[in-house]
């Protein structure tokens, strides 16, 4: 990053929570171990209290139980083997539920600390059915679709005002032929969150403003729809940061930008004054139901819950696969910004619907897929 004049510092690689430190370590591409340090700064605890209506002790307890849920889910997947059918976290009970197709695995799964539910379809079977739906051409009235562990089905979301459209009905009928499907309605279709050039702490490519994601060694990751490979990237001061080294959109929504020209990377995300800046310590994946927070150059810091994983989002530019859906709001210019749970990187903002005045939903591209795709190493503390 480059230093700003005055009190502020331009963080040229990320955008979310955090606290500064002088030393840093590296982590390998892919999932990192759950953190052993305290799960959040005082600022993050305050933000969770504000967004979820929790007391300080309840916020600490929730983050601690979610950290435990990550470890339990890993152990449960090993115990369930091919019978694993997904999992979800319940904030009220502070428990992780693991679904399995084998009643004979329940004792072993309970031994991991999980609540167990026996279901008909395995995660592998549902993922295969979803892949068959991914191969279909979706009309604009179909918003997205994902595997839902709670219902043990594939949820197909359609825009309420277009649910009776003939093309939508044909898509739903064909989807049902692919596997167990339930249809739900949503208020609006999703869109990406890029924006024209305005002030703030963004990065720019052409006249498009997006938000920087997580630091990796040699650059940062962000949303693919913000720029194509080779495009030049400018920082908040209009100086050159680097170039898009790789970009994929649609199908995926991720990109890798090199950093140079006096800029450097740091393992932090910005709290924008709402919370303190926090170090990134890894990329352990949070379960469905866990709390998660997002920051971007337009709407700054907001929190919500993980609603679904491996969802296919049907943008007007084309479908994007393997996305995670959240109840966090976002607006134009927030694209590419960081999603974080505790001190664990989760993904980069892609798109959604709604805004931060009336609410909405937002999807992110999971960070570990991006790291693995480009062979990158997350910059961690």
């Amino acid at each position: 990053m480059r230093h700003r004049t005055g009190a502020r510092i331009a963080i040229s690689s990320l955008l979310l929570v955090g606290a500064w430190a002088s030393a840093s370590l590296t982590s390998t591409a892919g999932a990192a171990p759950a953190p052993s340090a305290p799960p959040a700064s005082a600022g993050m605890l305050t933000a969770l209290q504000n967004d979820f209506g929790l007391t300080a002790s309840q916020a600490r307890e929730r983050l601690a139980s979610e950290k435990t849920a990550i470890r339990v889910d890993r152990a449960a997947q090993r115990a369930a083997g091919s019978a694993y059918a997904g999992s979800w976290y319940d904030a009220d009970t502070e428990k992780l539920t693991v679904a399995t197709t084998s009643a004979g695995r329940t004792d072993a799964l309970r031994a991991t600390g999980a609540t167990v539910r026996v279901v008909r379809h395995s995660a592998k079977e549902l993922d295969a059915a979803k892949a068959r739906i991914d191969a279909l051409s979706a009309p604009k009235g179909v918003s997205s679709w994902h595997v839902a562990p709670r219902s043990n089905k594939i949820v197909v979301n359609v825009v309420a005002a277009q649910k009776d459209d003939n093309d939508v009905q044909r898509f739903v009928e064909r989807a049902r032929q692919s596997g167990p499907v339930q249809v739900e309605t949503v208020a609006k279709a999703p869109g990406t969150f890029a924006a024209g050039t305005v002030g703030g702490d963004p990065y720019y490519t052409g006249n498009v403003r997006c938000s920087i994601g997580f630091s990796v060694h040699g650059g940062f990751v962000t949303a693919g729809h913000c720029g194509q490979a080779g495009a030049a990237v400018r920082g908040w001061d209009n100086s050159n940061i680097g170039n898009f080294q790789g970009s994929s959109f649609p199908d995926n929504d991720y990109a890798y930008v090199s950093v140079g020209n006096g800029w450097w990377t740091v393992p932090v995300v910005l709290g924008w004054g709402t919370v303190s800046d926090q170090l990134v310590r890894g990329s352990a994946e949070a379960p469905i139901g866990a709390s998660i927070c997002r920051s971007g150059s337009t709407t700054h810091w907001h929190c919500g819950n993980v609603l679904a994983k491996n969802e296919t989002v049907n943008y007007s530019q084309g479908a994007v696969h393997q996305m995670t859906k959240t109840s966090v709001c976002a607006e134009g210019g927030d694209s590419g910004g960081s999603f974080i749970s505790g001190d664990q990187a989760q993904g980069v903002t892609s798109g959604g619907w709604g805004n931060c005045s009336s609410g909405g939903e937002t999807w992110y591209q999971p960070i570990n897929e991006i790291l693995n795709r480009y062979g990158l190493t997350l910059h961690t503390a």
Side-chain angles (χ1 to χ4, degrees):
M1 81 186 96
R2 285 178 178 265
H3 288 288
R4 288 186 184 222
T5 56
R8 298 189 65 197
I9 295 177
I11 305 296
S12 71
S13 12
L14 314 161
L15 307 156
L16 216 70
V17 289
W20 291 90
S22 58
S24 67
L25 302 173
T26 62
S27 71
T28 58
S36 57
S41 65
M44 175 176 266
L45 292 171
T46 299
L48 290 176
Q49 291 174 67
N50 293 338
D51 286 342
F52 290 99
L54 304 175
T55 65
S57 61
Q58 287 172 334
R60 284 192 293 270
E61 289 172 2
R62 175 158 182 175
L63 286 173
S65 68
E66 289 175 353
K67 179 181 172 182
T68 298
I70 292 173
R71 292 197 297 267
V72 170
D73 194 28
R74 286 175 170 171
Q77 288 187 48
R78 291 192 295 269
S82 61
Y84 181 75
S87 66
W88 60 94
Y89 173 81
D90 189 319
D92 293 331
T93 63
E94 297 186 343
K95 293 289 187 180
L96 183 82
T97 298
V98 174
T100 177
T101 58
S102 173
R105 303 286 180 94
T106 55
D107 288 343
L109 288 170
R110 291 192 181 102
T112 68
T115 299
V116 182
R117 180 182 296 177
V118 179
V119 297
R120 180 178 179 181
H121 305 286
S122 70
K124 184 177 181 179
E125 291 170 339
L126 291 175
D127 286 344
K130 179 183 174 292
R132 291 190 287 272
I133 299 175
D134 285 345
L136 303 177
S137 178
K140 292 182 178 180
V142 177
S143 170
S144 63
W145 53 96
H146 68 272
V147 172
R150 285 179 186 265
S151 64
N152 199 228
K153 294 181 179 179
I154 300 158
V155 172
V156 175
N157 294 299
V158 301
V159 179
Q162 297 174 266
K163 64 183 178 64
D164 296 324
D165 179 84
N166 288 337
D167 290 338
V168 171
Q169 290 296 310
R170 278 193 292 269
F171 179 88
V172 170
E173 182 179 350
R174 294 184 67 188
R176 291 189 190 281
Q177 296 171 4
S178 300
V181 165
Q182 71 182 61
V183 178
E184 297 182 1
T185 59
V186 295
K188 297 179 180 179
T192 56
F193 286 126
T197 301
V198 296
D201 279 326
Y203 74 86
Y204 303 89
T205 177
N207 66 344
V208 171
R209 172 170 64 85
C210 281
S211 298
I212 297 169
F214 291 95
S215 284
V216 296
H217 289 277
F220 64 82
V221 294
T222 187
H225 70 263
C226 292
Q228 297 182 342
V233 174
R234 309 186 310 278
W236 63 269
D237 60 354
N238 208 38
S239 67
N240 182 45
I241 295 178
N243 297 82
F244 279 86
Q245 299 299 309
S247 179
S248 179
F249 180 81
D251 186 28
N252 305 293
D253 195 5
Y254 51 60
Y256 163 48
V257 176
S258 61
V259 166
N261 305 297
W263 294 79
W264 66 89
T265 64
V266 288
V268 299
V269 289
L270 287 178
W272 295 97
T274 302
V275 300
S276 58
D277 299 334
Q278 180 169 316
L279 292 165
V280 177
R281 290 190 167 91
S283 57
E285 186 177 341
I288 293 171
S291 63
I292 194 166
C293 298
R294 179 202 58 77
S295 179
S297 60
T298 299
T299 59
H300 298 174
W301 177 266
H302 289 276
C303 298
N305 293 308
V306 177
L307 300 179
K309 296 184 180 182
N310 190 22
E311 182 150 23
T312 299
V313 183
N314 190 35
Y315 294 132
S316 61
Q317 300 95 327
V320 177
H321 305 96
Q322 296 180 323
M323 304 283 275
T324 299
K325 179 165 66 176
T326 77
S327 61
V328 188
C329 67
E331 296 180 14
D334 287 328
S335 280
S338 314
F339 267 90
I340 195 166
S341 180
D343 56 12
Q344 299 293 296
Q346 299 297 310
V348 300
T349 304
S350 174
W353 62 269
N355 55 55
C356 289
S357 297
S358 59
E361 293 176 337
T362 302
W363 284 264
Y364 66 80
Q365 180 84 62
I367 182 70
N368 289 325
E369 180 182 358
I370 309 173
L371 299 177
N372 291 327
R373 168 61 181 84
Y374 293 117
L376 302 171
T377 300
L378 185 66
H379 194 168
T380 60

